[in-house]
Amino acid sequence: MEFPPPQNIVPEGDPIPIDTRYGISYTVPGDWRDGSQAVAGWEGDTGSVTFGGIAMYGYDYCPEHRDGARKAITGITGRNGIDVATAAFEVSRQAEAIFRDEPDDGVQIVYSEPTEFAIDGAPAIRYSVAARNLAQKFDCDPTEATFDVVATQGYSNATVAVFMVQTDQQIDGALEPADVDRIISTLRHKK
């Protein structure tokens, strides 16, 4: 698939299914913004991270940000030439590029052990990452955040698909861990 699948049109407020170019779909609540045709990412001193098939929650909640801050974002990327476990591990460690402004800053990043489960019968591995003591540029910026990564079989464009949910914490309306779990539970093979 050269381009992402078309957006799914649903009535306002209904859950939004997001189809991706890796043959994996997921669903976000109806108050999210469908950005499935777009890409998003982070760039810092430790590298860059990019995901497509995105959806955003609480977009533009912090008006000081020129590029539109969001309270949470989902997205997916693909990997070839490595297995599911390696892909999950490597992408989870990209939290360094997401949360650190410089290598020796005061940000504390804690990685979970891997959790194994299955998505439509295919093996999947999840890592959860918590970041604390984040630098604030504006008063509305978070001081804590999470980054959850799930790798599983890819069905198009890559042998492994890697899904992520990144949330800002310690802000009004922040997602709870159960909200992240619900989104991850919707991951499925789009047949």
Side-chain angles (χ1 to χ4, degrees):
M1 224 182 266
E2 189 174 344
F3 299 102
Q7 284 184 328
N8 291 301
I9 306 301
V10 297
E12 188 173 335
D14 280 5
I16 304 166
I18 307 290
D19 297 331
T20 74
R21 59 189 293 190
Y22 302 104
I24 299 289
S25 296
Y26 67 96
T27 301
V28 293
D31 59 346
W32 283 55
R33 181 177 180 171
D34 182 345
S36 59
Q37 302 298 299
V39 296
W42 298 267
E43 188 169 353
D45 289 344
T46 58
S48 63
V49 185
T50 305
F51 295 90
I54 65 170
M56 295 170 282
Y57 167 69
Y59 183 76
D60 230 5
Y61 81 92
C62 184
E64 288 90 345
H65 281 271
R66 65 175 174 79
D67 59 350
R70 66 256 171 177
K71 296 179 182 182
I73 186 169
T74 55
I76 197 163
T77 190
R79 295 288 187 270
N80 288 307
I82 58 176
D83 60 27
V84 168
T86 304
F89 178 84
E90 288 179 356
V91 174
S92 73
R93 276 23 186 201
Q94 290 180 321
E96 298 289 330
I98 295 170
F99 300 122
R100 288 200 187 280
D101 289 331
E102 48 192 66
D104 294 326
D105 62 16
V107 175
Q108 301 166 351
I109 299 177
V110 178
Y111 298 92
S112 74
E113 292 296 318
T115 302
E116 297 181 27
F117 63 107
I119 297 172
D120 290 340
I125 295 185
R126 176 181 178 178
Y127 282 93
S128 296
V129 182
R132 295 179 186 86
N133 201 29
L134 300 177
Q136 289 182 292
K137 292 179 185 163
F138 305 106
D139 289 342
C140 52
D141 284 337
T143 57
E144 296 182 12
T146 65
F147 181 58
D148 284 83
V149 171
V150 175
T152 191
Q153 177 179 338
Y155 298 92
S156 176
N157 287 42
T159 56
V160 178
V162 187
F163 176 76
M164 70 85 189
V165 181
Q166 189 273 310
T167 73
D168 288 351
Q169 297 295 304
Q170 302 301 314
I171 57 171
D172 288 339
L175 293 185
E176 298 289 332
D179 298 318
V180 174
D181 292 344
R182 271 191 291 277
I183 292 168
I184 288 172
S185 75
T186 70
L187 287 166
R188 62 201 176 274
H189 175 202
K190 177 72 174 179
K191 299 174 184 169

